[in-house]
């Protein structure tokens, strides 16, 4: 990796969210449909011929519950625990081989959504590196662990632009927890960290509460907290970060 240049952001860490900030969420309906279909196939092979609606409702209910808990408290539910919870909701025993088999479609379903790069991502990130920033990807994961997230980074040529990647599945807690931003800082004072993200709860309030600075990626014009710069396109990110650090 090419070292970051010395410039106005030398000694600063710029932490950037992944989902909804650098890449789209893709076709979530396609993701959900593939996960449900694969679960039905595996369950049938293991002798559990359940009604399709029962499988679907269990998967979607657990997905919604774990996502809400993560966003509100920073809890990081392990992917294995998510699958076990789905089986419990279906009224099925926690067979180790069944859980192992279901982990594959559960963790890889996001690839069926075909998330795409948000325009301006590469040029904005490289501009921040040229300004001397240490770039860190700071991303929550839920059903998609770090190993699968890194496949997506590779697919969009994002891996080499970052000095470090911090995933909640590796840290054990998720944004908005302070520990995620401390992991991104990696020894740098938290008031020398600027976090860029699209979620007011996990990215902006999480970063500010941790003692960092923040920039809101706000293409839909959501109300923005006072004193926080907002951008509507990623090509505005370098200037917004520079102004936030000034």
């Amino acid at each position: 990796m090419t070292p970051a240049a010395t410039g106005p952001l030398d000694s600063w860490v710029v932490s950037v969210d992944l989902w909804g900030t650098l890449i789209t969420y893709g076709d979530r309906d396609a993701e959900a449909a593939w996960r449900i279909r694969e679960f039905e196939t595996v369950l049938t092979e293991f002798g559990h011929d359940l009604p399709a609606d029962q499988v679907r409702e269990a998967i979607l209910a657990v997905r919604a519950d774990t996502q809400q808990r993560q966003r509100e408290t920073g809890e990081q539910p392990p992917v294995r625990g998510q699958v076990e919870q789905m089986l419990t909701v279906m009224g099925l025993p926690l067979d180790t081989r069944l859980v192992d088999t279901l982990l594959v479609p559960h963790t890889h379903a996001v690839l069926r959504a075909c998330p795409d790069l948000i325009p301006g991502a590469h040029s904005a990130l490289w501009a921040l590196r040229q300004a001397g920033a240490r770039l860190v990807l700071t991303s929550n994961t839920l059903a998609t662990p770090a190993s699968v997230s890194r496949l997506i980074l590779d697919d969009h040529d994002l891996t080499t632009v970052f000095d470090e990647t911090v995933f909640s599945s590796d840290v054990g807690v998720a944004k908005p927890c302070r520990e995620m931003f401390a992991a991104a800082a990696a020894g740098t004072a938290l008031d020398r960290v600027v976090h860029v993200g699209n979620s007011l709860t996990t990215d902006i309030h999480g970063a500010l509460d941790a003692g960092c600075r923040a920039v809101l990626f706000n293409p839909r014009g959501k109300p923005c907290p006072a004193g926080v710069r907002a951008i509507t396109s990623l090509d505005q990110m370098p200037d917004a970060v520079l102004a936030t650090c000034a």
Side-chain angles (χ1 to χ4, degrees), residues 13-25:
V13 171
V14 178
S15 164
V16 188
D17 174 53
L18 179 60
W19 294 97
T21 301
L22 295 177
I23 61 174
T24 68
Y25 294 100

Side-chain angles (χ1 to χ4, degrees), residues 25-246:
Y25 294 100
D27 188 340
R28 285 180 153 176
D29 289 340
E31 173 188 346
W34 188 81
R35 178 184 283 110
I36 293 165
R37 188 166 59 250
E38 291 298 304
F39 265 59
E40 290 173 351
T41 300
V42 171
L43 289 170
T44 299
E45 290 175 352
F46 274 77
H48 304 298
D49 194 10
L50 301 181
D53 285 347
Q54 183 179 352
V55 176
R56 180 180 185 277
E57 289 170 8
I59 291 172
L60 295 182
V62 172
R63 289 276 289 152
D65 174 65
T66 53
Q67 185 175 58
Q68 181 179 2
R69 280 163 34 211
Q70 185 185 70
R71 293 179 66 83
E72 290 180 354
T73 68
E75 179 184 349
Q76 179 61 38
V79 288
R80 189 176 193 86
Q82 295 170 40
V83 172
E84 291 176 344
Q85 187 179 353
M86 290 170 182
L87 292 176
T88 298
V89 172
M90 294 177 205
L92 297 176
L94 301 182
D95 177 84
T96 299
R97 284 200 314 118
L98 176 57
V99 174
D100 289 343
T101 306
L102 289 174
L103 274 171
V104 177
H106 182 58
T107 58
H108 287 69
V110 69
L111 301 179
R112 294 295 175 131
C114 298
D116 202 3
L117 197 68
I118 292 176
H122 280 138
S123 58
L125 293 171
W126 282 109
L128 290 167
R129 283 191 64 81
Q130 289 301 310
R134 177 176 174 270
L135 279 185
V136 180
L137 180 79
T138 309
S139 176
N140 280 358
T141 69
L142 198 60
T144 310
S147 58
V148 179
S149 297
R150 290 189 175 96
L151 296 177
I152 297 171
L153 293 180
D154 290 342
D155 189 49
H156 293 295
D157 296 324
L158 286 170
T159 303
T160 56
V161 72
F162 288 102
D163 296 286
E164 188 61 65
T165 54
V166 175
F167 292 105
S168 61
S169 58
D170 291 337
V171 178
V173 296
K175 295 177 294 181
C177 284
R178 183 182 184 277
E179 290 90 337
M180 280 290 286
F181 300 98
T188 299
L190 284 167
D191 62 1
R192 303 287 289 183
V193 176
V194 181
H195 180 72
V196 183
N198 68 311
S199 168
L200 286 171
T201 301
T202 59
D203 292 313
I204 304 308
H205 291 304
L208 295 176
D209 290 346
C212 304
R213 306 185 189 195
V215 172
L216 176 65
F217 179 52
N218 195 22
R220 297 183 180 179
K222 295 179 286 190
C224 186
V228 174
R229 286 177 173 79
I231 59 175
T232 57
S233 63
L234 291 182
D235 58 8
Q236 300 168 353
M237 181 162 60
D239 286 343
V241 169
L242 284 163
T244 300
C245 295

